[in-house]
Amino acid sequence: MMADKEVVRFKINDTEVEAEKGMMLLPVALEYGFEIPHLCYHEALSPGGMCGLCVVEVTKEGRTRVAMSCKYPVEEGIKVATDTEKIRQVRKRAWEVLLARASRSEVIRSMAQAAGVKETTLEKRDDDCILCGLCERVCREIVGANALTITRKGDRREVVPNPEACIACGACVYICPTDCIKMEEKGDERTIVRWNRTLKMQKCKSCGRPFAPIFQLNWIIDKANLSKDFYELCPICRKSS
Amino acid sequence: MATRVGMEVSIAAAEAVKQANADVIAAYPITPQTHIVEHLSELVNNGELDAEFVPVESEHSAMSVCVGSSAAGARAFTCTSSQGLALMSEIVYAAASLRLPILMILANRSLNSPLSIWNDHSDVMSIRDCGWIQVFAENGQEVYDHVFIGFRVAEDRNVLNPFMINIDGFILTHVIEPVELLEQEVVDRYLPPYQPLYRLHPDSPVSIGCFGPPVLFTEAKKAQNEAFCKTMPYIIKAWQEFGDLTGRYYHPIETYRTEEAQTILITQGSLGETASIAIDMMREKGEPVGLVKIRLWRPFPFEEFRKAVRGAELVVVMDRAVSYGGPGGPLAGEIRSALYPQEDHPRVVNFIIGLGGRDVSPEDFVQMAQRAKATPGQWYEIYGVRE
Amino acid sequence: MAKPENEITWKDLNVGFVVDEPGNASVYRTGDWRSQRPLYNRERCIRCGTCYIYCPDMAIKILEDGYIEHDLYYCKGCGICVQECPTGAITMVEEEEKDGD
Amino acid sequence: MDKYLDRLGIYAARLVSQKEYFVPGHRACQGCAEALAVRLMSKASRTNTVIACATGCIEIFSSPFPLTSWMVPGIHVAFENTAAVASGIESGLKAIMRKGRIPLKKINVVGIAGDGGTSDIGLQALSGALERGHNMVYVCFDNEAYMNTGIQRSSSTPFGASTTTSPAGKVVPGQTTWKKNMPEIAAAHDIPYVATACPSYPFDLMEKVRKAAEIEGPAYIHILSVCPTGWRLPPELSIHAGRLAVETGVFPLYEVERGRYKLSIDLPELRPVQEYFRIQGRFRHLTEEMVNKIQRRVREEYEKLKKKVMMTREG
């Protein structure tokens, strides 16, 4: 079934597994049903290596080291351990970092708690974003709106929005693991709260319901080279007509 | 050392299920099966048996839970009676076709209507062709022993078939009998943990119970029947090995004083003990009468049966169920089929007796034997009816 | 099972009629059912994946660059992708006369 | 507003795993939204799952021997006992894991059945399983009639719908009873999670399945699965029809999590039910009077649901 691709065989927790060469460890392990915590990985996006939770121990030619499984390409004959004492320690530290980065996030606090980490000794940042970068990657790699950038000032990173480019599509809302990007719709306006982006919605010519931001629709019209009046009707009225 | 204790047969059965280390027990209460499941739930709730006791909402679900858990690789047990069996019968068939080694004790009881909670064999006969291995037990010891034998046979890779132990309701379930209990170590030696051939587990996904189009359905049935017919030597082997361990040997057909017998009575289940008293009475008077007890009902031991009745001129079959408009009782029909290929087959007379808890005494057997002898022809009657 | 079903003998069957090749239905071509075929206009596609998520027959693949491809081996020609595409990048056309494959 | 509703993320489809656990080659009708719902459910429950499937369309189109569309293990036994079989699988796995015979692992046991297999013939087994509290998910794929046997009415067929056993006749105009409220019946068992879903809202559906699988104890999901064949509508409109069912309030999307009701999509204004009926042949015979009667009932039910949301709101 993987005839034209090179297959690599190795072990995860003593189970023989195989994967296409070039794949990263994390998706392979997840596919085989191993539980590895992760917050900044998404299979549709390039690996982030930002949350530090997906660490595993990889033994290669007798030498064992800790590696982030989202960024570690599979190799023939390696042995991967997903839940050792060492790994648990490293993950605990990662949770502490995340707790500090997103001290306001209820989601993170309960996840950390489930992993046995209640508090962090690190300096807390008053936010609920863990800086996983998924929003930036999805906006750039999938949507192509490039409305977000990750800036770095010293060791401080931030996700910075470009208010002119955001089409308020909601992909970042969908992907955010801590739910810190919220979308609101009031009347005929849609707002992506975190990016401070409010766009007017197109009202359906037939039923009068607002259905999508005009800016987004124009962006699509432009991209797909559609007629200007392509989105006069909402998707439902368009099909019913 | 095995210990011999006085014990209600239902309790002995439950103790055997415990010693067999069943994983899942699913049951719905119905008289006269209740004492077995009551004791099992007690064992589970007291931590004496590590199993899931699933108190289902119907017998249909009892068998469904057994099917699900057995398919997941667990050792599953249920017991029922009468209406309960009738309700679950759809899944009884499915369990056999799916080749799941479930063990069921059927505390035999008549089927409605009229409502009767008492014993006969109309329940088991209604599912004769369901594809389960079916044995009849004659006493408490046999019930106890067959729990181990049943699991052992059912789970044998060469068998993989569900196994049913028939025990007469009240007559066996509710009586206290001496039972020799096995040491756990002996049980463990005899009955290894269940190793399923397939199991419902994500590590090796299988699809069980697919839709069978006409082009394949017959093949599926042929495969099932072939496999079922081939279980006989493994059943006999399991009995043999059980005997070697315990000194108690069982056979598909048990005989009692059949040497030189011209008339042979045929029974199933607990009637055997009563009938044997009648045989003694008649033998004492010098009558050449013997008894054949059908222990293994499915697969039917044709060869062993023919051997057991060889030389007899008259065979008197005792049925505990009616086959309305049929050839008499279901057992008699089977006996005639078994004897038909024999050139010189004996005359077959059939009595339908002991319906819905009606007592059958040794004297009744004597009378039936005499009547059968005196009245020529192949006939049947429902015995002991007030005209 | 490599054999066509009308050649399978009873001896070929697994115990209990079990199928132990997960997902082997993928050999079965449902594309023959089509009377109309989807036509995809890449120029109009904004790579949103909507058609992919709504396909009941898993007959739409998302390619590495985000554009899509219909798998005509499976596509039954239901036309859901045409209806659901937000930009009208897919249309249905009459299935031409079927050839051998 | 729920972030898993499709119009809030036009690119969300690209973020869904491309891995299929229910593979093509299945023989569902053109445009079958039930097949789509099964596909989406499987994507959400993923690899560590065991399926117990009832007799019905899904069984027939997914696994005609010797083929199977399932990548995960599954069993079909009968029509009415899916919940019992699933509870047996759950009990079996639990026992043998506890006894150390197989490694401890979280396995989702998912029972799936149609509306007939759930709200009619399978109701008893389902009620038993929910009451016993097995850690399993039960998903009802509701296409509102016995489609597999040829579009006969079930207790889940909506009022007025014409089926082969509730035909729109000269005297009796189709189904004369209101649709049985199965999610409410499930919720009455006081189980930790009940939800309604529709494959027209795929992200919402997948999130609900994921949640149901994660929650300890029984969970029930009722999925409206548009059947173009039985509803007599063009196959390309089956997603659209599902959306109309939701937007008209005929089939509201909601969750009941530990007794608390939550609308997944809170519609400020319901579309007229006629928009939903117009595209379906099974409602073609409805008189204005009947439509009005249904419209009133839909509004009432929707208001009732909203009241439940208010009444069970936290704090």
Side-chain angles (χ1 to χ4, degrees), chain B residues 21-23 50 52 54 56-58 60-61 64-65 68-69 72 90-91 199 202-203 205-211, chain D residues 47 59-60 63 65 68 71 73-76 80-81 84 87-89 91 95-96 98-99 101-102 105 124-125 132:
Chain B
N21 195 14
D23 301 311
D50 185 2
E52 288 295 308
V54 188
V56 283
E57 84 299 330
S58 74
H60 195 279
S61 287
S64 302
V65 166
S69 56
E90 180 196 21
I91 313 305
R199 62 163 95 231
D203 286 354
V206 287
S207 289
I208 304 178
C210 291
F211 164 64
Chain D
T47 184
E59 152 67 6
I60 305 303
S63 45
F65 191 90
T68 177
M71 293 301 289
I75 184 169
H76 156 259
E80 69 280 48
N81 66 344
S87 69
I89 298 167
S91 303
I96 59 177
R98 186 174 64 223
K99 289 162 116 170
R101 289 222 302 282
I102 58 169
K105 186 174 190 170
Q124 175 180 322
R132 292 193 299 273

Side-chain angles (χ1 to χ4, degrees), chain B residues 9 38 52-53 61 80 82 86 115 123 153 164 211 214 223 231 243 276 289 295 326 335 352 366:
Chain B
V9 174
E38 284 168 7
E52 288 295 308
F53 185 89
S61 287
T80 191
S82 174
L115 173 64
D123 54 4
V153 170
M164 185 191 307
F211 164 64
T231 58
S276 64
V289 183
R295 176 186 306 290
I335 298 297
I352 293 165
V366 174

Side-chain angles (χ1 to χ4, degrees), chain C residues 8-41:
Chain C
I8 296 171
T9 72
W10 67 270
K11 287 179 192 160
D12 295 329
L13 301 176
N14 284 331
V15 170
F17 212 50
V18 164
V19 175
D20 57 1
E21 297 167 68
N24 62 358
S26 59
V27 300
Y28 188 75
R29 181 202 296 264
T30 52
D32 294 347
W33 303 11
R34 252 186 348 259
S35 58
Q36 288 192 315
R37 167 167 68 83
L39 193 67
Y40 171 53
N41 178 357

Side-chain angles (χ1 to χ4, degrees), chain A residues 111-202:
Chain A
M111 283 169 113
Q113 209 144 23
V117 182
K118 287 205 178 71
E119 256 315 324
T120 180
T121 50
L122 303 164
E123 190 195 337
K124 287 183 192 165
R125 181 169 153 271
D126 185 27
D127 202 345
D128 44 13
C129 161
I130 55 166
L131 291 169
C132 68
L134 282 172
C135 51
E136 184 273 332
R137 273 178 285 152
V138 73
C139 190
R140 176 165 48 86
E141 296 176 16
I142 299 287
V143 183
N146 293 313
L148 300 169
T149 5
I150 295 187
T151 60
R152 192 184 283 270
K153 271 190 205 143
D155 61 345
R156 287 192 77 94
R157 283 197 304 258
E158 290 296 337
V159 182
V160 181
N162 171 4
E164 298 307 302
C166 172
I167 61 167
C169 71
C172 55
V173 180
Y174 181 77
I175 206 167
C176 175
T178 68
D179 277 343
C180 74
I181 312 171
K182 295 261 192 308
M183 179 186 273
E184 279 174 5
E185 273 181 24
K186 270 186 204 142
D188 63 349
E189 280 185 346
R190 178 185 284 185
T191 303
I192 309 286
V193 181
R194 193 175 179 92
W195 312 140
N196 230 335
R197 174 72 159 162
T198 299
L199 292 173
K200 241 198 167 34
M201 307 265 279
Q202 173 82 25

Side-chain angles (χ1 to χ4, degrees), chain B residues 45-369:
Chain B
N45 281 11
N46 286 333
E48 291 175 56
L49 166 58
D50 185 2
E52 288 295 308
F53 185 89
V54 188
V56 283
E57 84 299 330
S58 74
E59 287 88 355
H60 195 279
S61 287
M63 188 48 69
S64 302
V65 166
C66 285
V67 165
S69 56
S70 182
R75 183 171 283 167
F77 173 81
T78 188
C79 54
T80 191
S81 295
S82 174
Q83 308 305 121
L85 180 75
L87 180 60
M88 70 162 64
S89 70
E90 180 196 21
I91 313 305
V92 169
Y93 278 75
S97 302
L98 299 175
R99 308 278 304 275
L100 298 170
I102 298 159
L103 182 72
M104 169 156 69
I105 291 182
L106 184 61
N108 300 117
R109 164 183 152 182
S110 47
L111 282 174
N112 287 6
S113 250
L115 173 64
S116 162
I117 58 166
W118 292 278
N119 169 241
D120 69 30
H121 291 167
S122 49
D123 54 4
V124 53
M125 292 306 163
S126 74
I127 50 129
R128 185 188 63 182
D129 298 331
C130 66
W132 284 53
I133 296 167
Q134 299 171 48
V135 299
F136 279 83
E138 194 177 326
N139 56 44
Q141 187 69 56
E142 292 190 5
V143 175
Y144 173 82
D145 289 349
H146 275 83
V147 168
F148 311 115
I149 295 163
F151 276 127
R152 163 78 186 263
V153 170
E155 294 168 4
D156 187 327
R157 280 283 170 92
N158 299 296
V159 176
L160 288 177
N161 234 296
F163 193 104
M164 185 191 307
I165 308 167
N166 286 280
I167 78 177
D168 284 316
F170 289 115
I171 300 170
L172 277 184
T173 53
H174 285 53
V175 299
I176 293 172
E177 287 198 3
V179 179
E180 198 175 293
L181 300 181
L182 296 177
E183 293 291 321
Q184 189 59 45
E185 174 269 326
V186 177
V187 172
D188 294 343
R189 219 172 340 137
Y190 181 70
L191 181 61
Y194 173 38
Q195 298 286 351
L197 182 59
Y198 302 107
R199 62 163 95 231
L200 287 172
H201 194 282
D203 286 354
S204 52
V206 287
S207 289
I208 304 178
C210 291
F211 164 64
V215 66
L216 283 156
F217 190 83
T218 312
E219 278 64 27
K221 292 293 116 180
K222 164 85 172 170
Q224 187 183 346
N225 190 48
E226 283 293 321
F228 193 62
C229 292
K230 283 182 188 141
T231 58
M232 186 75 86
Y234 301 100
I235 301 170
I236 291 170
K237 183 166 160 259
W239 272 330
Q240 179 68 38
E241 286 177 26
F242 188 82
D244 294 346
L245 272 174
T246 64
R248 291 190 292 279
Y249 290 92
Y250 296 108
H251 308 94
I253 300 288
E254 304 286 352
T255 57
Y256 183 70
R257 301 185 78 169
T258 50
E259 60 288 351
E260 310 293 318
Q262 284 169 16
T263 299
I264 287 180
L265 307 190
I266 296 175
T267 61
Q268 283 177 307
S270 64
L271 278 183
E273 291 203 344
T274 323
S276 64
I277 300 169
I279 298 293
D280 289 344
M281 286 159 63
M282 291 186 274
R283 279 277 181 178
E284 240 167 71
K285 291 184 188 157
E287 290 174 44
V289 183
L291 173 65
V292 162
K293 298 179 275 190
I294 314 289
R295 176 186 306 290
L296 185 60
W297 174 227
R298 280 292 184 276
F300 193 84
F302 290 99
E303 275 313 310
E304 291 83 347
F305 174 75
R306 282 193 279 264
K307 216 167 105 194
V309 298
R310 190 161 296 155
E313 290 162 10
L314 172 64
V315 164
V316 188
V317 185
M318 312 299 176
D319 257 296
R320 304 196 72 173
V322 189
S323 169
Y324 306 104
L331 178 57
E334 214 67 0
I335 298 297
R336 286 197 199 93
S337 295
L339 294 173
Y340 188 77
Q342 226 166 272
E343 263 182 31
D344 209 15
H345 48 72
R347 189 158 67 87
V348 177
V349 171
N350 176 209
F351 289 98
I352 293 165
I353 57 171
L355 297 183
R358 181 71 62 93
D359 245 358
V360 188
S361 67
E363 287 73 20
D364 288 325
F365 282 105
V366 174
Q367 217 188 84
M368 285 186 280

Side-chain angles (χ1 to χ4, degrees), chain D residues 9-295:
Chain D
I10 57 162
Y11 278 93
R14 290 282 308 279
L15 300 174
V16 171
S17 166
Q18 294 210 41
K19 175 86 190 162
E20 304 288 356
Y21 300 88
F22 187 77
V23 303
H26 69 71
R27 303 172 197 200
C29 302
Q30 273 188 336
C32 173
E34 182 169 86
L36 173 60
V38 171
R39 172 192 179 214
L40 295 170
M41 176 202 79
S42 306
K43 273 180 179 290
S45 59
R46 299 172 60 108
T47 184
N48 279 336
T49 294
V50 177
I51 301 284
C53 178
T55 313
C57 288
I58 300 175
E59 152 67 6
I60 305 303
F61 71 63
S62 72
S63 45
F65 191 90
L67 301 179
T68 177
S69 283
W70 294 100
M71 293 301 289
V72 292
I75 184 169
H76 156 259
V77 185
F79 196 2
E80 69 280 48
N81 66 344
T82 306
V85 173
S87 69
I89 298 167
E90 186 258 6
S91 303
L93 290 173
K94 193 158 132 190
I96 59 177
M97 279 184 198
R98 186 174 64 223
K99 289 162 116 170
R101 289 222 302 282
I102 58 169
L104 204 66
K105 186 174 190 170
K106 166 138 175 63
I107 296 175
N108 309 316
V109 179
V110 182
I112 60 174
D115 49 301
T118 302
S119 60
D120 288 343
I121 200 168
L123 185 56
Q124 175 180 322
L126 174 61
S127 176
L130 296 182
E131 174 271 326
R132 292 193 299 273
H134 297 274
N135 189 14
M136 57 181 256
V137 182
Y138 187 95
V139 185
C140 170
F141 294 87
D142 180 6
N143 53 23
E144 302 195 320
Y146 291 90
M147 297 311 181
N148 189 43
T149 44
I151 325 173
Q152 292 84 12
R153 64 83 75 180
S154 77
S155 61
S156 203
T157 302
F159 180 86
S162 178
T163 71
T164 55
T165 52
S166 66
K170 287 186 183 126
V171 181
V172 183
Q175 175 92 336
T176 54
T177 51
W178 297 102
K179 184 182 174 77
K180 190 187 274 188
N181 194 338
M182 208 36 233
E184 276 298 318
I185 294 173
H189 288 78
D190 215 6
I191 55 174
Y193 188 73
V194 174
T196 64
C198 176
S200 304
Y201 301 81
F203 314 111
D204 178 65
L205 186 154
M206 287 187 284
E207 176 59 14
K208 283 168 174 167
V209 172
R210 194 198 60 73
K211 224 168 172 179
E214 204 164 86
I215 280 172
E216 191 72 27
Y220 176 87
I221 304 180
H222 195 97
I223 300 182
L224 184 74
S225 308
V226 176
C227 170
T229 310
W231 295 15
R232 303 193 170 102
L233 98 150
E236 69 270 22
L237 290 185
S238 59
I239 305 303
H240 177 53
R243 239 180 244 129
L244 280 172
V246 172
E247 295 227 356
T248 53
V250 166
F251 189 84
L253 297 183
Y254 65 98
E255 290 174 292
V256 190
E257 207 174 336
R258 300 192 191 283
R260 290 187 200 287
Y261 284 73
K262 189 183 153 223
L263 284 168
S264 313
I265 169 168
D266 191 356
L267 300 155
E269 193 193 344
L270 299 179
R271 286 177 188 270
V273 289
Q274 185 58 16
E275 278 193 41
Y276 174 56
F277 292 160
R278 210 176 49 211
I279 56 169
Q280 301 177 51
R282 63 175 177 160
F283 292 116
R284 190 166 297 138
H285 60 286
L286 292 191
T287 58
E288 203 185 322
E289 193 190 340
M290 285 177 80
V291 172
N292 289 341
K293 187 175 168 181
I294 298 168
Q295 183 66 72

